[in-house]
Amino acid sequence: MRKILILLLAIPAMAFTQSSTTMNAYQWPAGVQPPMAEKAPKEFIAHGDKRIDDYYWLNQREDPKVLDYLKAENTYLDAMMGGTKELREKLFNEMKGRIKEKDESLPYKDNGYWYYARFEEGKQYPMYCRKKETLEAPEEIMLDQNKLAEGFPYYSIGGRAVSDNNELLAYTVDSVGRRIYGLRIKNLVTGITYPENITNVDGGYIVWAADNKTIFYVKKDVTTLLGYQVWRHELGTDPSKDVMVFEEKDNRFYIGAYRTKSKKYMVIWSSMNQVSTEYRLLEANNPTGSFKVFEPRKENFQYSIEHFNDKFYIRTDLMAPNFRLMETPETKTGVANWKEVIPHRKDVYISNLLVFNNHLVLGEVKDALNQLRVINLTSHQDYYITFPEAVYAAFPNINPDYNTNMLRLSYTSMTTPVSIYDFNMDTQQRELKKQTEVLGGFNKEEYTAERLWATVRDGVKVPISLVYKKGIKKDGSNPLLLYAYGSYGSSMSPSFNSNIISLLNRGFIYAIAHVRGGQEMGRPWYDQGHLFNKKNTFFDFIDCGEFLIKEKYTVKEHLYANGGSAGGLLMGAIVNYRPDLWHGVVADVPFVDVITTMSDPSIPLTTGEYKEWGNPAVEKEYFYMKSYSPYDNVEKKAYPNMLVTTGLHDSQVQYFEPAKWVAKLRELKTDNNKLFFKTNMEAGHGGSSGRFDYLKEVAWRYAFFLALEDKTE
């Protein structure tokens, strides 16, 4: 056994004597010592390179000494930021006060029922409801998550699926926050939940066959947390007798399952992120049949499918980096039969496809903006849906109905709350059906959003989306919070966030840097920001910060940064490369121990990420990852003020990555700046499950920024 000591903090009584209501400048308590984790060196050798990890022991989740250390860090944070308690409560009440507590989602119709979720005043969770045929019909409450969550500090309902006869509801539940779900089935006629409880499933994938008794679900490996098998369950039978219908043998692939919009096919997909995909089909009226491969997987070949009448539409990167649209007969799915419908374009990325009986809707991305293109399948004429603002985000909403000319879409901008429209694809008329109501006196006319383009060090222009309150002066005096993600090809849309108003109203500018690693500018934008191009993500973000200073939106003394998960890796890299550029940084659930994590295939998500970051077993990839891995590159130097957050049950980025990183930073940093580490002991990667509880975590982040700005009133 390794001997582990934790030097706990001593908190003087004066730590809680400051009041944010009696002074402008926040007074950080003096004499409060942070916890220092004992070093227990562990040696790693790869490719002739030796690494010493002094804090590897922190990966023992059940060890009382590890838990004591995490609690000690929380206690230290509470002591140092005790004077912000009133501010945090004020921020929480502000953000909560903008939420319409008694509210419901816009109903959508599917197979004869209108479905919606509604919230009751003061309740943390939704009630999932439906009405038969008309909205005037009596309400049926399918699930009341508030009742189900009683007694649980964390409770999340994942996927929900209703059988074809509308009588059965299958749903998944996670009561820990580790994204390992249990599958339950409820009879919506009798209200009885069936006794079978299928454990260790992926929460997002439940597929009913057409017989109203057979369910397909994805099983998770409890160690790696990867979905790796698809199983068939028959209602009323012992789950131990379920039948495995597919097993993914390559642990670099993620898997899932769904039913086509036409309802004819059940589909199993396998995907290596941004590299390779494969689909399997089985007719929904033949649940005991065998799934057939649509087109076999190949390296650097992606496709997705949509069934339409007697054919399939295929979105693919086959000789088309930005994707093109093709079609094939449903009886001849091999690539040799594919015919082009929409060609590849260098400046337009086809992001998604939606099929109706007489229309296709393509999601396209050009110049970091989402576009919706409508194609009439009879006349073959097409057009783009227009929107009123220069910087916005628009996406298809829930569209289960196949036989309709109405497209339901969502529209938002950094000043416009989410607005849901019904759009007539024939007449091009639109009707606003619901706009998220923002309470608390919000007036969008008081704020301005804009798009800037920063020329970064290699000459590439990177888009930046900003929002701020009207009247600010571009004289360098403004605090500015810069956010980015920049991984997996995930694009960050310039959408509305009511929480940000609390910062905007206190003089902050909020900006999103659309750095390489996403796909805001198409597939090449991603290719230039992963694997051996990953450092472009970090340098783009740094150069965007420099650009905003040059344009006098802010100065170093008021520049802040925030990112989470893979965006937390970004935060770890930028404080190593340019610690002088940021006054404060918040890294949420950060992926910072790249080499150690990617070298351990038992850690969740590792094997599926080889094509994103690299495989440490390959020497060249190992040394490139090591050159930027935040944990491996902590040095004896000054770092900015930092707040690092995690969840004890995090399944995506294990809590011990940020824990080790903070411990190493405490050991080596030479400055007197603040370094705080906050662990949510009852949640995972996404934080608290309640719609209000998570706002308390947001309040901590905002209070950290505002305390650094001496804006704690």
Side-chain angles (χ1 to χ4, degrees):
M1 292 289 292
R2 201 180 281 122
K3 185 177 181 181
I4 302 169
L5 298 176
I6 301 175
L7 307 180
L8 298 178
L9 55 108
I11 306 173
M14 65 167 290
F16 297 98
T17 59
Q18 307 298 338
S19 171
S20 62
T21 61
T22 59
M23 60 186 64
N24 222 0
Y26 182 67
Q27 300 296 309
W28 300 97
V32 184
Q33 298 301 311
M36 301 294 291
E38 181 74 11
K39 296 166 68 172
K42 182 177 178 61
E43 184 179 279
F44 294 93
I45 298 177
H47 309 295
D49 179 58
K50 182 169 70 173
R51 294 184 303 124
I52 303 296
D53 189 342
D54 290 323
Y55 303 104
Y56 186 78
W57 63 270
L58 284 168
N59 69 355
Q60 301 301 308
R61 190 189 314 272
E62 306 299 328
D63 190 327
K65 294 183 176 64
V66 172
L67 297 175
D68 286 345
Y69 171 73
L70 299 178
K71 293 173 183 176
E73 285 283 5
N74 282 346
T75 304
Y76 174 65
L77 171 64
D78 288 339
M80 291 297 292
M81 292 191 63
T84 67
K85 183 178 180 181
E86 291 182 20
L87 172 63
R88 282 182 275 123
E89 290 175 352
K90 185 175 183 179
L91 289 165
F92 171 78
N93 288 326
E94 283 179 11
M95 292 184 286
K96 182 182 177 184
R98 296 188 192 103
I99 298 172
K100 186 179 180 181
E101 293 196 29
K102 187 177 182 180
D103 199 7
E104 68 179 48
S105 64
L106 182 64
Y108 65 89
K109 196 171 187 181
D110 186 18
N111 195 25
Y113 279 83
W114 289 93
Y115 290 89
Y116 58 98
R118 65 178 177 85
F119 288 93
E120 293 188 341
E121 190 168 354
K123 299 288 183 68
Q124 289 272 22
Y125 297 106
M127 302 166 70
Y128 296 102
C129 309
R130 68 177 185 175
K131 295 182 178 181
K132 188 174 183 179
E133 292 299 343
T134 72
L135 292 174
E136 287 69 42
E139 179 182 79
E140 299 178 31
I141 299 175
M142 299 187 295
L143 293 174
D144 184 345
Q145 189 171 339
N146 298 286
K147 291 183 178 178
L148 294 171
E150 289 177 0
F152 294 95
Y154 180 96
Y155 197 89
S156 174
I157 291 179
R160 305 180 308 281
V162 177
S163 59
D164 288 15
N165 64 4
N166 292 315
E167 294 181 0
L168 303 167
L169 171 69
Y171 64 99
T172 58
V173 172
D174 172 16
S175 58
V176 176
R178 195 140 175 84
R179 300 188 182 181
I180 301 178
Y181 289 77
L183 172 61
R184 306 303 306 272
I185 304 165
K186 181 178 180 179
N187 188 308
L188 296 175
V189 178
T190 66
I192 295 173
T193 299
Y194 290 89
E196 54 251 55
N197 182 13
I198 304 172
T199 59
N200 301 330
V201 307
D202 190 308
Y205 307 110
I206 315 166
V207 182
W208 282 100
D211 64 356
N212 301 302
K213 66 179 182 180
T214 305
I215 303 173
F216 293 83
Y217 61 91
V218 175
K219 198 82 169 176
K220 273 194 171 186
D221 183 302
V222 296
T223 300
T224 66
L225 302 188
L226 288 174
Y228 73 113
Q229 295 171 337
V230 178
W231 288 70
R232 184 179 71 232
H233 174 75
E234 186 173 319
L235 184 65
T237 64
D238 186 341
S240 67
K241 297 179 180 179
D242 288 357
V243 178
M244 185 177 70
V245 300
F246 171 71
E247 182 172 19
E248 178 55 68
K249 301 291 188 180
D250 189 337
N251 62 7
R252 299 176 301 166
F253 280 76
Y254 300 103
I255 68 170
Y258 67 94
R259 186 108 168 251
T260 59
K261 187 175 178 179
S262 67
K263 304 294 186 181
K264 184 175 182 179
Y265 291 99
M266 298 178 295
V267 183
I268 297 172
W269 58 263
S270 298
S271 175
M272 188 193 311
N273 183 59
Q274 305 294 343
V275 175
S276 177
T277 54
E278 184 177 64
Y279 286 76
R280 287 171 164 78
L281 301 176
L282 177 64
E283 290 197 23
N285 61 7
N286 182 28
T288 59
S290 299
F291 283 82
K292 303 298 183 183
V293 175
F294 187 93
E295 169 63 22
R297 69 185 66 178
K298 291 184 284 288
E299 195 86 354
N300 299 313
F301 168 52
Q302 299 180 84
Y303 67 94
S304 60
I305 57 176
E306 287 286 348
H307 180 242
F308 175 77
N309 292 341
D310 59 351
K311 63 184 175 183
F312 283 92
Y313 283 106
I314 306 132
R315 173 184 164 270
T316 180
D317 66 352
L318 179 65
M319 296 183 289
N322 268 342
F323 287 78
R324 56 175 168 161
L325 185 66
M326 307 185 81
E327 66 179 26
T328 194
E330 67 177 333
T331 58
K332 297 179 179 179
T333 62
V335 70
N337 303 295
W338 297 5
K339 294 182 180 180
E340 185 172 83
V341 179
I342 302 292
H344 173 263
R345 288 154 293 169
K346 289 185 177 180
D347 61 339
V348 177
Y349 168 64
I350 300 177
S351 58
N352 56 71
L353 167 68
L354 195 59
V355 178
F356 298 88
N357 64 343
N358 196 42
H359 297 87
L360 289 181
V361 178
L362 290 181
E364 299 183 347
V365 180
K366 183 178 181 181
D367 293 335
L369 288 177
N370 302 100
Q371 299 177 323
L372 293 177
R373 181 183 183 183
V374 179
I375 303 170
N376 187 298
L377 293 174
T378 300
S379 67
H380 302 292
Q381 294 182 337
D382 69 331
Y383 59 87
Y384 288 91
I385 301 175
T386 59
F387 298 102
E389 296 174 270
V391 183
Y392 65 88
F395 305 97
N397 196 265
I398 301 174
N399 290 274
D401 193 353
Y402 182 73
N403 297 301
T404 181
N405 65 348
M406 300 297 293
L407 167 69
R408 179 159 287 182
L409 63 90
S410 295
Y411 172 83
T412 182
S413 75
M414 297 184 84
T415 59
T416 302
V418 174
S419 308
I420 303 175
Y421 291 88
D422 278 350
F423 180 86
N424 188 308
M425 292 181 281
D426 291 324
T427 66
Q428 300 188 39
Q429 298 298 308
R430 72 190 76 188
E431 179 185 0
L432 178 63
K433 304 297 291 187
K434 181 179 176 64
Q435 184 176 81
T436 299
E437 191 172 350
V438 182
L439 306 180
F442 170 74
N443 179 3
K444 66 171 294 182
E445 301 304 322
E446 297 178 2
Y447 305 89
T448 295
E450 60 178 307
R451 168 64 56 80
L452 304 175
W453 295 85
T455 301
V456 298
R457 63 192 66 189
D458 61 356
V460 171
K461 292 185 180 297
V462 175
I464 305 173
S465 300
L466 300 92
V467 63
Y468 49 84
K469 197 161 188 181
K470 289 180 179 178
I472 71 164
K473 297 179 180 179
K474 297 175 185 177
D475 58 3
S477 65
N478 308 296
L480 187 148
L481 175 58
L482 184 61
Y483 170 85
Y485 185 71
S487 291
Y488 302 108
S490 296
S491 299
M492 297 295 104
S493 300
S495 54
F496 186 81
N497 180 353
S498 66
N499 296 332
I500 291 294
I501 298 170
S502 289
L503 290 182
L504 303 185
N505 288 349
R506 290 171 170 83
F508 269 73
I509 298 171
Y510 177 67
I512 303 171
H514 303 284
V515 296
R516 282 174 284 186
Q519 286 186 129
E520 288 92 336
M521 301 290 286
R523 170 69 190 217
W525 205 244
Y526 170 67
D527 289 335
Q528 295 171 31
H530 76 117
L531 282 177
F532 292 112
N533 293 318
K534 189 62 213 171
K535 291 181 183 178
N536 283 336
T537 304
F538 315 141
F539 297 148
D540 284 357
F541 191 85
I542 290 168
D543 292 349
C544 285
E546 294 275 20
F547 171 81
L548 292 167
I549 291 171
K550 179 183 176 183
E551 296 298 313
K552 297 186 177 180
Y553 284 89
T554 190
V555 290
K556 290 181 181 180
E557 292 78 13
H558 298 291
L559 179 58
Y560 301 91
N562 178 219
S565 195
L569 164 66
L570 171 59
M571 298 298 102
I574 64 163
V575 298
N576 280 335
Y577 284 120
R578 285 296 309 276
D580 62 302
L581 189 58
W582 324 96
H583 188 48
V585 174
V586 173
D588 294 310
V589 292
F591 171 48
V592 286
D593 191 14
V594 181
I595 292 292
T596 305
T597 291
M598 295 304 298
S599 298
D600 186 351
S602 71
I603 292 178
L605 306 183
T606 289
T607 55
E609 310 298 303
Y610 286 154
K611 292 297 182 179
E612 180 73 22
W613 316 107
N615 184 348
V618 179
E619 182 174 356
K620 185 179 179 182
E621 296 178 11
Y622 170 91
F623 281 106
Y624 185 78
M625 285 187 285
K626 186 185 177 186
S627 72
Y628 68 75
S629 173
Y631 183 65
D632 292 289
N633 288 280
V634 175
E635 300 174 332
K636 285 188 176 181
K637 62 184 179 185
Y639 283 86
N641 298 290
M642 296 173 63
L643 169 62
V644 182
T645 72
T646 192
L648 180 62
H649 303 294
D650 197 327
S651 60
Q652 311 300 103
V653 178
Q654 305 295 297
Y655 75 92
F656 46 79
E657 289 198 43
K660 290 165 51 179
W661 184 44
V662 168
K664 191 172 183 180
L665 283 165
R666 286 210 191 285
E667 174 196 354
L668 295 179
K669 75 189 195 80
T670 60
D671 57 85
N672 293 318
N673 289 327
K674 309 298 178 290
L675 175 59
F676 301 138
F677 182 43
K678 186 178 188 300
T679 302
N680 187 326
M681 305 298 287
E682 298 176 337
H685 197 63
S688 299
S689 57
R691 63 168 173 158
F692 302 134
D693 283 347
Y694 91 96
L695 293 176
K696 296 176 183 177
E697 299 175 33
V698 178
W700 271 103
R701 299 181 201 123
Y702 289 3
F704 176 71
F705 293 133
L706 292 166
L708 293 173
E709 279 291 306
D710 289 338
K711 292 176 179 285
T712 55
E713 286 191 328

